[in-house]
Amino acid sequence: MWYSPIKKLSLMAILLVAFSSFAYAADIARTLRTNTQDNNDPDNFIEIGLGAGVYVGSSLTDSDGIFASPIINLSASYNWNGFFIDVLAETAEPIVIGYNAYNSDNWSFDLVLGTTDGGVSEDTDDRFIGIIKRQSSTMLGGRITGYFGKNILQMSLKYDARGRSKGTVASALLGRNWQYRNWNFHGLVGLYLADAKFNNYYYGVTEEESAVTGIQTFDGEAAITFNSSMGVTYPISENWIYRATVGFGSNFGQNDSSLFEKKRNFHIGIHSSISYVF
Amino acid sequence: MILTYQKHLASFVFGFTAAVCLYTSSTYAENNSPEENELVVTPLRCVALRQGQVCYQEVTFRWHQPKVGNYCLVELSSSDNIKCWSNVKTGEVDFDFQSDKSLTYGIRKTDEQTNLSSVHITVSWVFKSSKRPKASWKLF
């Protein structure tokens, strides 16, 4: 059933979404992973890695929502005079451009602009033929981060500046890191709130779409998602690092969108990789 | 079928991890026998994840001197003795290196300050880290 090129592409898209679901709770994951204490400047880097992951959660296709896949890690961060750009760096959006506007001993405030992944389209699965493609959103907002020893608290508020969804999202994350010899552990819990406009754009089904696709109409509502992850990072050498992460999340049963073929109220993922850091 | 296929990929990733670890440890194990008046340590490098972190590394010091005597292995910045030996001309000690910066160790005759030979353990890291300026609002 996976031999169709379109469905192969769909699988990859789903896996990208699946593993990036960690990222809903991961704006601070990189800081935690590198065991940064206090409010330090981030380093400029490019990472390329290879890994594997297993994910169990909801599915947009006729699969059972259990996926395993090789994963190519590619992430980068560049910082200059307070400006920064993070690419696939464990943030909620794949690309985040920002400006660090305020710093104190314990607090930092960033203005951020990020583009989300798109949503379903005709390429996702054959049953979506005739559906209107959900475009990516350009989220503009701010995030405030507090550093308290090995604990990091981050809250963010963002609005779809391009206006496709006209939605607003907010998040509150709390993380902590530990070091045992050269093994760097982190734990992270977070709540992610998306308003009705945002969820309706990505998960709603209009009557027109329902008439074409046969998928039941659905009006998206505001929803809160819980995400958590625990992970470990080990420096193999000055340029190679090993990472492993276990993630768990729940939508508290707010997963009624008819776009999902397989609905689960939780997702679990395991991911392991080796990366080269330039 | 996909899951079976992925098991092989996962095995490859973990196998690759092990291979990298074995390679790095094998490079540390090269040519570590001391000659006359020499102090050697393996491995020579400790890698932390982030600049400023304490780096942990089990190291082995081996030394050899031309004459039998009383000698001490000393960390030079603090002059702390790691271990002392009596009436020997060669010695070996396993040591749990823990430091956030590179350190130099030397062999001295007991109660003397002259370094007969020395060796440097380098602390390096994957990610650099530097303090941001504090308490500032910036308007571009």
Side-chain angles (χ1 to χ4, degrees):
Chain A
M1 105 182 133
W2 294 102
Y3 296 110
S4 156
I6 289 177
K7 289 197 174 182
K8 279 185 179 176
L9 285 172
S10 301
L11 174 63
M12 291 308 296
I14 290 164
L15 288 169
L16 282 172
V17 172
F19 291 109
S20 68
S21 65
F22 290 167
Y24 282 134
D27 275 6
I28 58 175
R30 194 184 72 214
T31 305
L32 290 169
R33 280 186 183 282
T34 53
N35 213 322
T36 301
Q37 291 183 44
D38 304 322
N39 184 9
N40 284 7
D41 254 338
D43 188 18
N44 300 325
F45 68 88
I46 299 173
E47 273 184 47
I48 297 175
L50 179 66
V54 179
Y55 175 82
V56 180
S58 298
S59 173
L60 293 165
T61 69
D62 58 357
S63 76
D64 58 2
I66 301 173
F67 306 102
S69 171
I71 297 169
I72 296 173
N73 285 338
L74 174 64
S75 65
S77 179
Y78 184 75
N79 304 266
W80 178 78
N81 279 356
F83 291 94
F84 60 87
I85 179 166
D86 291 338
V87 180
L88 295 174
E90 299 186 284
T91 49
E93 293 89 23
I95 299 176
V96 175
I97 300 169
Y99 182 72
N100 176 240
Y102 174 76
N103 269 303
S104 70
D105 281 341
N106 295 111
W107 294 97
S108 171
F109 176 72
D110 299 327
L111 298 167
V112 290
L113 180 69
T115 55
T116 65
D117 289 318
V120 295
S121 70
E122 291 185 344
D123 293 336
T124 305
D125 194 65
D126 291 347
R127 68 194 188 92
F128 294 127
I129 290 173
I131 205 163
I132 296 171
K133 181 179 181 179
R134 269 56 166 180
Q135 306 281 355
S136 64
S137 295
T138 303
M139 308 304 291
L140 175 65
R143 67 185 185 196
I144 185 166
T145 309
Y147 300 85
F148 309 100
K150 292 178 177 293
N151 302 297
I152 303 177
L153 172 70
Q154 185 174 80
M155 289 169 287
S156 72
L157 183 66
K158 300 169 201 164
Y159 173 74
D160 181 5
R162 200 188 293 178
R164 282 175 171 154
S165 71
K166 296 185 174 62
T168 303
V169 297
S171 65
L173 312 172
L174 180 63
R176 180 179 175 83
N177 55 34
W178 300 266
Q179 181 185 5
Y180 175 71
R181 298 190 68 82
N182 292 334
W183 294 87
N184 297 268
F185 296 88
H186 83 270
L188 185 66
V189 293
L191 291 174
Y192 178 88
L193 169 68
D195 72 356
K197 290 178 181 174
F198 191 84
N199 280 338
N200 194 48
Y201 178 73
Y202 286 105
Y203 299 114
V205 180
T206 64
E207 290 184 359
E208 291 79 8
E209 289 176 320
S210 178
V212 175
T213 62
I215 299 171
Q216 189 177 353
T217 59
F218 178 75
D219 291 325
E221 297 177 352
I224 295 177
T225 306
F226 168 79
N227 280 282
S228 64
S229 72
M230 288 195 69
V232 63
T233 305
Y234 181 79
I236 300 169
S237 71
E238 285 173 70
N239 294 101
W240 289 95
I241 56 174
Y242 171 75
R243 283 179 171 160
T245 305
V246 177
F248 171 78
S250 171
N251 50 40
F252 303 108
Q254 298 170 301
N255 189 28
D256 298 326
S257 172
S258 48
L259 292 176
F260 289 103
E261 187 77 335
K262 174 68 179 178
K263 297 175 186 173
R264 283 193 172 92
N265 294 330
F266 67 90
H267 63 260
I268 299 172
I270 301 172
H271 173 208
S272 177
S273 65
I274 296 175
S275 297
Y276 187 86
V277 182
F278 292 91
Chain B
M1 179 184 71
I2 290 177
L3 281 172
T4 305
Y5 166 64
Q6 303 311 338
K7 281 179 185 173
H8 292 296
L9 283 163
S11 301
F12 168 76
V13 169
F14 288 111
F16 183 64
T17 307
V20 170
C21 293
L22 285 171
Y23 170 75
T24 52
S25 56
S26 67
T27 55
Y28 288 141
E30 292 172 356
N31 189 23
N32 54 11
S33 299
E35 298 174 356
E36 292 291 307
N37 190 18
E38 192 179 22
L39 170 64
V40 295
V41 63
T42 51
L44 281 165
R45 184 176 295 272
C46 182
V47 181
L49 186 63
R50 177 184 56 78
Q51 183 179 8
Q53 266 189 328
V54 173
C55 192
Y56 298 82
Q57 182 72 58
E58 294 282 351
V59 299
T60 301
F61 290 98
R62 293 184 181 89
W63 61 270
H64 190 279
Q65 289 296 312
K67 295 179 180 176
V68 173
N70 300 331
Y71 298 96
C72 285
L73 174 66
V74 181
E75 195 282 294
L76 298 186
S77 67
S78 63
S79 292
D80 288 342
N81 288 344
I82 306 301
K83 185 177 179 180
C84 293
W85 293 262
S86 299
N87 298 317
V88 293
K89 64 176 185 179
T90 186
E92 177 177 326
V93 60
D94 294 327
F95 178 66
D96 187 14
F97 177 85
Q98 302 181 10
S99 175
D100 60 358
K101 59 182 183 295
S102 302
L103 294 175
T104 304
Y105 295 82
I107 283 289
R108 294 174 176 175
K109 283 193 172 180
T110 304
D111 299 328
E112 291 187 10
Q113 298 299 311
T114 305
N115 299 317
L116 302 172
S117 58
S118 63
V119 69
H120 192 67
I121 298 180
T122 303
V123 172
S124 57
W125 48 82
V126 180
F127 295 102
K128 283 192 296 184
S129 184
S130 55
K131 284 283 185 185
R132 280 174 164 166
K134 299 302 182 187
S136 60
W137 277 100
K138 296 184 287 186
L139 291 175
F140 302 100

